[in-house]
Amino acid sequence: DGLDDLYTITGFEQSISENMEFTYSGENNWIDRLCAASPAFPILYNPEQDYTVMVANNTGFGNTIGSSFQFSGLEPQESRLELLSGMLTFFDSGMGHEWLKGDVISDNTVNIIDIVYSVEFMLELLSFNPMELWKGDMNHDEHINIQDILLMVQEVLHPN
């Protein structure tokens, strides 16, 4: 079991949870921390403790969503219904985010600034949220390391 530390839940930009913020008052208070191993991606996180509480995956054979909290504990209800609508769209289409691997700063391109931020994350000079980790984890090993930096450099020098 996780800890009793979930009070606020926030969505990620350029995803089905963009601009969403919830308070949590569900009966399930012992929240497990989830990690979205790429190609899965985070949907919601606890901004106070900086861990993911909802993930999604498009396997090509089916779309799945997993969470570690009680969905009915999300408030306000209008935002909960908006999130549910986004989840249903994801189940139907498989589109849950518009993120670009390597684009840590979310400017729709992989550039030297993304590399600088990733080096700072790697050296633990900056902390990162789950979305930044997902974007910076170029080799899908759930860490930002020198291999990811080299892949970003390669992307900057030879964009697709």
Side-chain angles (χ1 to χ4, degrees), residues 39-59:
F41 57 92
I43 296 176
L44 294 171
Y45 77 109
N46 176 345
E48 295 160 354
Q49 301 297 322
D50 219 16
Y51 64 84
T52 302
V53 295
M54 182 179 273
V55 297
N57 192 16
N58 176 348
T59 64

Side-chain angles (χ1 to χ4, degrees), residues 12-89:
F12 293 103
E13 60 189 56
Q14 298 178 314
S15 78
I16 62 173
S17 62
E18 184 170 38
N19 299 322
M20 292 186 191
E21 189 165 314
F22 302 94
T23 56
Y24 180 72
S25 60
E27 291 180 26
N28 176 16
N29 292 329
W30 299 96
I31 307 301
D32 291 329
R33 297 171 182 223
L34 304 179
C35 182
S38 189
F41 57 92
I43 296 176
L44 294 171
Y45 77 109
N46 176 345
E48 295 160 354
Q49 301 297 322
D50 219 16
Y51 64 84
T52 302
V53 295
M54 182 179 273
V55 297
N57 192 16
N58 176 348
T59 64
F61 300 105
N63 305 319
T64 59
I65 292 177
S67 71
S68 59
F69 61 88
Q70 181 181 347
F71 190 77
S72 62
L74 296 176
E75 295 295 336
Q77 181 181 4
E78 299 79 25
S79 296
R80 184 173 65 225
L81 293 175
E82 184 180 347
L83 176 61
L84 180 58
S85 175
M87 292 166 64
L88 293 173
T89 298

Side-chain angles (χ1 to χ4, degrees), residues 94-147:
M95 293 301 297
H97 65 84
E98 299 172 8
W99 302 335
L100 173 65
K101 271 295 199 187
D103 181 23
V104 176
I105 63 168
S106 302
D107 63 356
N108 296 317
T109 185
V110 179
N111 56 43
I112 191 68
I113 298 170
D114 297 302
I115 295 169
V116 169
Y117 271 83
S118 295
V119 168
E120 290 181 343
F121 294 150
M122 185 179 71
L123 297 175
E124 298 180 359
L125 300 174
L126 289 177
S127 62
F128 48 84
N129 69 39
M131 178 188 63
E132 292 165 332
L133 173 62
W134 187 93
K135 289 179 174 183
D137 182 19
M138 298 289 287
N139 65 351
H140 312 289
D141 67 356
E142 301 177 33
H143 303 284
I144 295 180
N145 52 38
I146 192 66
Q147 294 168 333

